[in-house]
């Protein structure tokens, strides 16, 4: 639980750094296209993501291509927030002991 929560918050911090770097690049004189998720995937794995209709069902292919076209900070941030939420600390809910049995 602690590892997942820490990894989630680390991904949120990375997403903030990427978003702020893109904002600085966008304010520059040259036109900046932004960093897509497919670019980050290619940098990490060394191969271009492939979503062909022959390997995947058509719905998954469209979803994967859509996610890879999104900005990297958005996808990484959503993954981080969802991991931080899933692995959060939860209170133990106790049943009241004063309920009479039927």
């Amino acid at each position: 639980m602690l590892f997942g929560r820490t990894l989630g918050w680390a991904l949120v911090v990375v997403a903030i750094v990427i978003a702020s770097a893109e904002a600085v690049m966008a304010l520059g004189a040259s036109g900046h296209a932004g960093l897509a998720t497919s670019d980050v995937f290619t940098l990490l794995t060394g191969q271009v993501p492939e979503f062909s209709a022959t390997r995947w069902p058509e719905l998954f292919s469209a979803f994967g291509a859509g996610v890879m076209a999104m900005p990297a900070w958005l996808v990484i941030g959503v993954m981080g927030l969802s991991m931080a939420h899933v692995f959060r600390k939860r209170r133990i809910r106790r049943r009241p002991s004063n309920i009479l049995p039927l």
Side-chain angles (χ1 to χ4, degrees):
M1 289 248 301
L2 180 66
F3 178 73
R5 191 169 49 241
T6 305
L7 183 62
W9 285 113
L11 286 175
V12 169
V13 169
V14 167
I16 290 171
V17 169
I18 292 173
S20 63
E22 281 198 24
V24 168
M25 293 295 290
L27 293 174
S30 64
H32 178 65
L35 185 64
T37 307
S38 62
D39 298 336
V40 173
F41 184 83
T42 303
L43 288 172
L44 292 176
T45 62
Q47 59 185 0
V48 178
E50 185 178 321
F51 295 101
S52 63
T54 58
R55 266 184 92 185
W56 300 93
E58 189 174 329
L59 182 64
F60 290 144
S61 297
F63 179 73
V67 167
M68 289 296 162
M70 289 181 181
W73 62 267
L74 181 66
V75 175
I76 293 172
V78 168
M79 281 192 323
L81 285 175
S82 61
M83 284 183 70
H85 177 71
V86 167
F87 294 112
R88 72 188 184 276
K89 285 185 180 179
R90 297 182 187 146
R91 282 196 237 160
I92 298 173
R93 295 183 184 168
R94 299 192 179 167
R95 299 172 115 186
S97 60
N98 58 359
I99 296 177
L100 297 173
L102 296 176

